[in-house]
Amino acid sequence: MIEFTLKDFFDILIVALLLFQTYKLLKGTSGMSIFAILISFICIWFLVSFIFHMELLGAILDKVANVGVILLVILYQDEIRTFFSNLSGRYANNIFARLKRALVRKNENQPQINIEEIVEATMACSKTKTGALIVIQKEGDLNTFCQTGEIIDSNIKARLIENIFFKNTPLHDGALIIVGNQIKSVGCILPISHKRDLPKELGLRHRAALGITEKTDAYVIVVSEETGRISCIRQGEMLLGVSKERLEEWLRS
Protein backbone atom coordinates (compact mmCIF):
# COMPACT_ATOMS: atom_id res chain seq x y z
CA MET A 1 0.00 0.00 0.00
CA ILE A 2 1.34 3.43 -1.03
CA GLU A 3 1.45 6.09 1.70
CA PHE A 4 0.47 9.57 0.59
CA THR A 5 1.57 12.29 2.97
CA LEU A 6 1.30 16.08 3.02
CA LYS A 7 4.92 16.28 1.86
CA ASP A 8 4.05 14.20 -1.22
CA PHE A 9 1.14 16.54 -1.96
CA PHE A 10 3.37 19.62 -1.93
CA ASP A 11 6.01 17.77 -3.93
CA ILE A 12 3.50 17.02 -6.70
CA LEU A 13 2.04 20.54 -6.52
CA ILE A 14 5.44 22.24 -6.92
CA VAL A 15 6.39 20.01 -9.87
CA ALA A 16 3.01 20.68 -11.52
CA LEU A 17 3.43 24.44 -11.11
CA LEU A 18 6.95 24.32 -12.56
CA LEU A 19 5.75 22.31 -15.55
CA PHE A 20 2.82 24.67 -16.09
CA GLN A 21 5.06 27.77 -16.00
CA THR A 22 7.48 26.09 -18.40
CA TYR A 23 4.60 25.30 -20.73
CA LYS A 24 3.41 28.94 -20.64
CA LEU A 25 6.92 30.16 -21.42
CA LEU A 26 7.40 27.73 -24.34
CA LYS A 27 3.87 27.91 -25.76
CA GLY A 28 3.91 28.98 -29.38
CA THR A 29 7.68 28.57 -29.74
CA SER A 30 9.85 25.89 -31.30
CA GLY A 31 10.83 24.83 -27.77
CA MET A 32 7.43 23.13 -27.37
CA SER A 33 8.86 20.07 -29.14
CA ILE A 34 11.49 19.70 -26.38
CA PHE A 35 8.81 20.12 -23.72
CA ALA A 36 6.62 17.41 -25.31
CA ILE A 37 9.57 15.00 -25.55
CA LEU A 38 10.57 15.55 -21.92
CA ILE A 39 7.01 15.14 -20.58
CA SER A 40 6.51 11.93 -22.59
CA PHE A 41 9.82 10.49 -21.37
CA ILE A 42 9.11 11.41 -17.72
CA CYS A 43 5.68 9.75 -17.86
CA ILE A 44 7.09 6.55 -19.39
CA TRP A 45 10.04 6.47 -16.99
CA PHE A 46 7.73 6.99 -13.98
CA LEU A 47 5.38 4.18 -15.06
CA VAL A 48 8.21 1.75 -15.75
CA SER A 49 10.27 2.47 -12.63
CA PHE A 50 7.70 3.27 -9.93
CA ILE A 51 4.37 1.75 -10.99
CA PHE A 52 5.28 -1.50 -12.76
CA HIS A 53 8.75 -1.89 -11.16
CA MET A 54 10.34 -3.15 -14.40
CA GLU A 55 13.96 -3.16 -13.28
CA LEU A 56 15.65 -3.99 -16.61
CA LEU A 57 13.69 -1.48 -18.67
CA GLY A 58 14.01 1.07 -15.85
CA ALA A 59 17.80 0.68 -15.84
CA ILE A 60 17.86 1.19 -19.63
CA LEU A 61 15.75 4.35 -19.35
CA ASP A 62 18.08 5.65 -16.63
CA LYS A 63 21.01 5.32 -19.04
CA VAL A 64 18.98 6.89 -21.86
CA ALA A 65 18.17 9.84 -19.58
CA ASN A 66 21.88 10.44 -18.88
CA VAL A 67 22.78 10.42 -22.58
CA GLY A 68 19.52 12.08 -23.66
CA VAL A 69 20.25 15.30 -21.77
CA ILE A 70 23.48 15.75 -23.71
CA LEU A 71 21.73 14.95 -27.02
CA LEU A 72 18.97 17.47 -26.29
CA VAL A 73 21.52 20.20 -25.55
CA ILE A 74 23.32 19.46 -28.84
CA LEU A 75 20.20 19.16 -31.02
CA TYR A 76 18.17 21.99 -29.48
CA GLN A 77 20.83 24.44 -28.34
CA ASP A 78 19.15 27.41 -30.05
CA GLU A 79 15.77 26.67 -28.44
CA ILE A 80 17.39 26.13 -25.03
CA ARG A 81 19.31 29.40 -25.35
CA THR A 82 16.07 31.23 -26.23
CA PHE A 83 14.27 29.61 -23.28
CA PHE A 84 16.84 30.73 -20.72
CA SER A 85 17.06 34.16 -22.34
CA ASN A 86 13.31 34.61 -21.94
CA LEU A 87 13.43 33.19 -18.43
CA SER A 88 16.19 35.54 -17.30
CA GLY A 89 14.58 38.44 -19.09
CA ARG A 90 10.84 38.70 -18.50
CA TYR A 91 10.57 36.75 -15.24
CA ALA A 92 13.80 38.01 -13.68
CA ASN A 93 12.78 41.59 -14.38
CA ASN A 94 9.40 40.97 -12.74
CA ILE A 95 10.99 39.38 -9.67
CA PHE A 96 13.58 42.13 -9.19
CA ALA A 97 10.94 44.79 -9.85
CA ARG A 98 8.77 43.37 -7.07
CA LEU A 99 11.73 43.28 -4.70
CA LYS A 100 12.55 46.86 -5.61
CA ARG A 101 8.99 47.98 -4.93
CA ALA A 102 9.03 46.15 -1.60
CA LEU A 103 12.33 47.64 -0.43
CA VAL A 104 12.28 51.10 -1.96
CA ARG A 105 9.37 53.51 -1.62
CA LYS A 106 8.70 55.31 -4.87
CA ASN A 107 8.66 59.06 -4.95
CA GLU A 108 5.04 60.19 -4.98
CA ASN A 109 5.99 63.28 -6.97
CA GLN A 110 7.49 61.23 -9.80
CA PRO A 111 6.12 62.55 -13.14
CA GLN A 112 3.45 60.37 -14.73
CA ILE A 113 3.56 59.30 -18.35
CA ASN A 114 1.68 61.59 -20.75
CA ILE A 115 -0.88 59.09 -22.01
CA GLU A 116 -2.95 61.67 -23.93
CA GLU A 117 -0.01 62.63 -26.18
CA ILE A 118 0.81 58.97 -26.88
CA VAL A 119 -2.80 58.17 -27.76
CA GLU A 120 -3.07 61.24 -30.00
CA ALA A 121 0.13 60.33 -31.86
CA THR A 122 -0.94 56.69 -32.24
CA MET A 123 -4.33 57.62 -33.67
CA ALA A 124 -2.73 60.10 -36.09
CA CYS A 125 -0.31 57.41 -37.32
CA SER A 126 -3.19 54.97 -37.66
CA LYS A 127 -5.25 57.44 -39.70
CA THR A 128 -2.40 58.08 -42.18
CA LYS A 129 -1.20 54.43 -42.15
CA THR A 130 2.19 55.45 -40.81
CA GLY A 131 4.09 52.53 -39.29
CA ALA A 132 5.00 53.07 -35.64
CA LEU A 133 6.63 51.09 -32.83
CA ILE A 134 6.40 52.65 -29.36
CA VAL A 135 7.95 50.92 -26.33
CA ILE A 136 7.06 52.10 -22.82
CA GLN A 137 9.38 51.08 -20.00
CA LYS A 138 7.69 49.72 -16.90
CA GLU A 139 9.95 48.21 -14.20
CA GLY A 140 12.52 46.38 -16.31
CA ASP A 141 15.51 48.44 -17.46
CA LEU A 142 15.54 49.16 -21.23
CA ASN A 143 18.84 51.08 -21.27
CA THR A 144 20.57 48.36 -23.33
CA PHE A 145 18.01 48.78 -26.11
CA CYS A 146 18.07 52.58 -25.82
CA GLN A 147 21.79 52.52 -26.62
CA THR A 148 21.08 50.93 -30.03
CA GLY A 149 19.34 54.12 -31.19
CA GLU A 150 19.68 57.89 -30.86
CA ILE A 151 19.30 59.31 -27.34
CA ILE A 152 17.13 62.45 -27.45
CA ASP A 153 15.66 62.81 -23.90
CA SER A 154 12.67 64.82 -25.10
CA ASN A 155 9.26 65.52 -23.62
CA ILE A 156 6.44 63.37 -24.94
CA LYS A 157 4.71 65.33 -27.71
CA ALA A 158 2.29 63.89 -30.25
CA ARG A 159 3.63 65.97 -33.16
CA LEU A 160 7.19 64.92 -32.37
CA ILE A 161 6.23 61.22 -32.36
CA GLU A 162 4.42 61.67 -35.69
CA ASN A 163 7.49 63.36 -37.22
CA ILE A 164 9.82 60.60 -35.98
CA PHE A 165 7.76 57.89 -37.67
CA PHE A 166 7.15 59.86 -40.88
CA LYS A 167 8.22 57.66 -43.80
CA ASN A 168 10.99 59.90 -45.10
CA THR A 169 12.81 60.36 -41.79
CA PRO A 170 15.99 58.31 -41.14
CA LEU A 171 14.74 56.93 -37.80
CA HIS A 172 11.21 55.86 -38.76
CA ASP A 173 12.09 52.14 -39.04
CA GLY A 174 13.32 51.71 -35.47
CA ALA A 175 11.52 51.69 -32.14
CA LEU A 176 10.78 54.72 -29.98
CA ILE A 177 11.41 54.05 -26.28
CA ILE A 178 9.67 56.04 -23.56
CA VAL A 179 11.18 56.08 -20.05
CA GLY A 180 9.26 57.87 -17.33
CA ASN A 181 7.71 60.94 -18.92
CA GLN A 182 10.33 61.34 -21.66
CA ILE A 183 11.10 59.99 -25.09
CA LYS A 184 14.46 58.48 -24.19
CA SER A 185 15.65 57.09 -27.52
CA VAL A 186 14.50 56.64 -31.13
CA GLY A 187 15.52 54.35 -33.99
CA CYS A 188 16.20 51.53 -31.53
CA ILE A 189 16.78 47.89 -32.47
CA LEU A 190 14.67 45.28 -30.66
CA PRO A 191 15.00 41.49 -30.43
CA ILE A 192 12.79 39.53 -32.84
CA SER A 193 10.30 36.95 -31.56
CA HIS A 194 10.54 33.48 -33.12
CA LYS A 195 6.97 32.40 -32.39
CA ARG A 196 5.57 30.25 -35.20
CA ASP A 197 1.85 30.74 -34.58
CA LEU A 198 1.66 34.43 -35.49
CA PRO A 199 -0.76 35.50 -38.26
CA LYS A 200 1.01 35.82 -41.60
CA GLU A 201 -0.05 39.43 -42.07
CA LEU A 202 2.03 40.54 -39.08
CA GLY A 203 5.43 41.87 -40.06
CA LEU A 204 8.76 42.62 -38.40
CA ARG A 205 7.36 45.45 -36.28
CA HIS A 206 4.98 43.06 -34.56
CA ARG A 207 7.70 40.43 -34.14
CA ALA A 208 10.02 43.03 -32.63
CA ALA A 209 7.24 44.15 -30.29
CA LEU A 210 6.66 40.56 -29.17
CA GLY A 211 10.41 40.04 -28.81
CA ILE A 212 10.90 42.90 -26.35
CA THR A 213 7.85 41.86 -24.28
CA GLU A 214 9.15 38.29 -24.08
CA LYS A 215 12.33 39.60 -22.47
CA THR A 216 11.01 42.55 -20.41
CA ASP A 217 7.78 43.79 -18.83
CA ALA A 218 7.52 46.74 -21.26
CA TYR A 219 4.26 47.90 -22.88
CA VAL A 220 4.42 48.18 -26.68
CA ILE A 221 2.16 49.88 -29.22
CA VAL A 222 2.40 48.98 -32.91
CA VAL A 223 0.73 50.73 -35.85
CA SER A 224 0.63 48.70 -39.06
CA GLU A 225 1.98 50.48 -42.13
CA GLU A 226 -0.24 48.39 -44.43
CA THR A 227 -3.59 48.63 -42.63
CA GLY A 228 -3.20 51.34 -39.98
CA ARG A 229 -4.39 48.82 -37.39
CA ILE A 230 -3.26 49.41 -33.81
CA SER A 231 -1.88 46.54 -31.72
CA CYS A 232 -1.01 46.48 -28.02
CA ILE A 233 1.50 43.96 -26.66
CA ARG A 234 2.68 43.10 -23.16
CA GLN A 235 4.20 39.91 -21.67
CA GLY A 236 4.08 38.20 -25.06
CA GLU A 237 0.31 38.71 -25.42
CA MET A 238 -1.11 40.76 -28.30
CA LEU A 239 -4.34 42.73 -28.73
CA LEU A 240 -5.14 43.46 -32.39
CA GLY A 241 -7.37 46.17 -33.82
CA VAL A 242 -7.46 48.31 -30.67
CA SER A 243 -9.75 51.37 -30.57
CA LYS A 244 -8.82 54.76 -29.12
CA GLU A 245 -10.80 54.10 -25.93
CA ARG A 246 -9.35 50.63 -25.49
CA LEU A 247 -5.81 51.94 -26.07
CA GLU A 248 -6.22 54.63 -23.42
CA GLU A 249 -7.69 52.11 -20.97
CA TRP A 250 -4.85 49.67 -21.67
CA LEU A 251 -2.21 52.32 -21.05
CA ARG A 252 -3.82 53.47 -17.82
CA SER A 253 -3.84 49.90 -16.52
Side-chain angles (χ1 to χ4, degrees), residues 146 148-152 164 171 174-177 183-188:
C146 290
T148 64
E150 298 293 330
I151 305 294
I152 63 173
I164 289 171
L171 300 173
L176 179 151
I177 297 180
I183 300 174
K184 180 70 176 178
S185 185
V186 296
C188 302

Side-chain angles (χ1 to χ4, degrees), residues 137-157:
Q137 178 175 293
K138 196 180 175 188
E139 299 290 347
D141 187 13
L142 299 180
N143 186 60
T144 301
F145 303 103
C146 290
Q147 298 302 321
T148 64
E150 298 293 330
I151 305 294
I152 63 173
D153 287 325
S154 171
N155 292 331
I156 299 174
K157 297 294 181 182

Side-chain angles (χ1 to χ4, degrees), residues 186-219:
V186 296
C188 302
I189 301 172
L190 304 181
I192 301 297
S193 173
H194 296 287
K195 280 190 174 181
R196 297 182 178 180
D197 58 348
L198 294 180
K200 293 183 179 179
E201 65 268 18
L202 300 183
L204 282 177
R205 277 195 182 92
H206 290 82
R207 287 197 170 273
L210 275 174
I212 190 67
T213 61
E214 288 171 354
K215 295 180 180 298
T216 72
D217 61 349
Y219 280 48

Side-chain angles (χ1 to χ4, degrees), residues 90-228:
R90 189 201 311 176
Y91 290 102
N93 278 331
N94 288 341
I95 292 170
F96 287 123
R98 288 168 186 165
L99 287 173
K100 181 180 177 181
R101 285 198 298 268
L103 297 174
V104 181
R105 179 176 296 178
K106 285 189 175 181
N107 185 1
E108 294 180 356
N109 297 323
Q110 183 178 358
Q112 298 298 312
I113 185 172
N114 196 331
I115 292 176
E116 291 76 13
E117 294 288 335
I118 296 175
V119 171
E120 182 182 340
T122 302
M123 300 312 299
C125 290
S126 175
K127 186 177 180 180
T128 58
K129 293 185 179 180
T130 301
L133 178 55
I134 302 172
V135 181
I136 303 171
Q137 178 175 293
K138 196 180 175 188
E139 299 290 347
D141 187 13
L142 299 180
N143 186 60
T144 301
F145 303 103
C146 290
Q147 298 302 321
T148 64
E150 298 293 330
I151 305 294
I152 63 173
D153 287 325
S154 171
N155 292 331
I156 299 174
K157 297 294 181 182
R159 299 298 294 272
L160 175 59
I161 296 175
E162 292 176 51
N163 287 333
I164 289 171
F165 288 116
F166 187 71
K167 294 180 181 179
N168 293 329
T169 60
L171 300 173
H172 77 281
D173 275 336
L176 179 151
I177 297 180
I178 293 175
V179 178
N181 197 30
Q182 283 194 321
I183 300 174
K184 180 70 176 178
S185 185
V186 296
C188 302
I189 301 172
L190 304 181
I192 301 297
S193 173
H194 296 287
K195 280 190 174 181
R196 297 182 178 180
D197 58 348
L198 294 180
K200 293 183 179 179
E201 65 268 18
L202 300 183
L204 282 177
R205 277 195 182 92
H206 290 82
R207 287 197 170 273
L210 275 174
I212 190 67
T213 61
E214 288 171 354
K215 295 180 180 298
T216 72
D217 61 349
Y219 280 48
V220 185
I221 303 169
V222 181
V223 179
S224 172
E225 192 171 350
E226 288 75 24
T227 64

